[in-house]
Amino acid sequence: MSLTTRLPFVLLAVGLFGVGLSFWRPVPAGVWHDDGVYLLIGKALSEGGGFRYLGVVGEPPAVKFPPAYPGVLAVLWWAFGSLRAVTLAAVLLNLALVATAATALARALHRTAALPRWIAVALAAVAFFSADVWQPALVTLSESLFLALAMGSLALWPKGAGEERGARGTLVLSLVLAATVMTRSAGIAVVLGFGVALLLTRGWKLAVVTVTPALLTVVAWGAMAASRAETIPVGMRDVLGPYGSWLVQQLVTAPGAFLEVLPAQALTLLGRVASLLLPGVYGAWLWVMTLPLALLGLIGAVALSRKLPPVPWVIGAYAAMLLLWPFLDRRLVMPLHPLIAVCVGAGVLEVASHRTHHALRRASWTVAFLWVAVSAAVTASRAAGGWAVAGYQLRAGRLAAAVEALNQTASQEAVVGAPEFWAALHLHGGWSVVPSARFTPRAEDPDTPVWGTPDQQLALWWNAGVDHLLLEQGGQIHGEALNRLESQCPGDVQILARLVPQLLVRLDWGVDCARRLGLAPREAGSSD
């Protein structure tokens, strides 16, 4: 490939890396929970401790997250050593991965979908010029690697119906698909999307050969994770264990609850996707402006189903997975944005290619211009104003206050419980930590809070030996449990620091108090 041929893709990668840098502001590790957990696992791997939650009481096996991204962080821990250097290196790597993902998508649109080079680059730039796409890359989260692998798999799709990639090309695509699902469990949607596309366009043999390694990898990892999760104390299992086990359990034990929420879940999903495509637009205007984009997106999806078949099938599989998932946040929905944006762009090009429908052509170009203008203006404004890191910075201030308070009041032998900051507290202070709340988004009893009942929380704290507790949302999560503890054992709850909206308390309880609360004697490995 000549320099002239490569130039558009190089400019895209460099330009988008610069966009990522414009969003970035330094924040400490662990401000968003999962980013700290990834770093704990990566550090344990780099130190030869295996795939474990470093610093958590008992260091249980880390089977919640697939191993690819912690493995990358382990290399960074080995190379750089200090938390600050590893965090900076990981963020820069994330930004490069997102830029790589956009370049891979542009290559797929040009090489496989036969779009002109500069048009393919422009579509990829629009698809990735979004604050929501870059936000997870600004801390140590796995979305950037996931996007790079998912878009890379699209670039590996054979060009034209008659092209055969051969055994080597099939093997490479299979390995990339396996790596995708080992980066994020949501990668199963990418694998299934490719499987359907291959089945419909290339036949069942190639489909089976290509996706079977990834499916076997998922099965093997799931079986291993489920087996090792049995060694995690029950009270911490829904936070530290794999999501699949409790999701399947909830589907089996309460299928009606899933069916009842599907219409509302579908509406929520549509709203999330619309707000990603049209950032800064709200209320009725959001739906009014989304309708023409949806029509163009459908036209583009049909067009891409002939030229780059995995795109619509991956979108469909990912959306179906989100419908079954018990919680939807922007970060989870975000991977749909580049693919849906590309479908909208492809729809505009498809309508524009029909020269007889002049009114439709003008309307489609007008919609495209307004969409790009609104999205670009809002994204540029968010980059200048620090929108992408505002939430991180808010939590960074709270984390700093908590670490300072613990440094002043807790010894290094303390066992600290926290709902979300537990990983960060070990990274920054070295204390033994425990996730202090449960996570049951769809319990059989609708009156049971997501974070568990007071009895469940008290049992978790007692069995894990928690003696310091950080209340990150004041009394919302742990208030009832602490009230019960104080009522049964007066004086055993001591407020050490008021860090509005947080509280730091010491639990000075013993066996007699536990007996009054109905808690069993502590046993190694038990937690509920």
Side-chain angles (χ1 to χ4, degrees), residues 336-414:
L336 283 175
H337 178 274
L339 297 179
I340 293 178
V342 162
C343 286
V344 174
V348 173
L349 296 174
E350 185 72 10
V351 172
S353 66
H354 294 281
R355 300 185 179 278
T356 56
H357 303 288
H358 300 295
L360 287 177
R361 290 172 58 199
R362 286 195 297 269
S364 66
W365 282 117
T366 300
V367 168
F369 175 79
L370 291 174
W371 169 50
V372 173
V374 169
S375 299
V378 173
T379 298
S381 173
R382 288 177 170 180
W387 176 90
V389 295
Y392 299 148
Q393 290 175 327
L394 176 64
R395 292 172 63 85
R398 296 176 182 178
L399 173 60
V403 171
E404 182 180 0
L406 281 165
N407 277 326
Q408 295 174 356
T409 59
S411 68
Q412 281 298 300
E413 289 71 37

Side-chain angles (χ1 to χ4, degrees), residues 311-324:
V311 170
W313 291 110
V314 169
I315 292 174
Y318 198 94
M321 181 201 68
L322 292 177
L323 284 177
L324 295 177

Side-chain angles (χ1 to χ4, degrees), residues 100 227 242 283 375 390 395 425 468 478:
T100 300
S227 174
S375 299
R395 292 172 63 85
L425 294 177
H468 286 72
H478 294 322

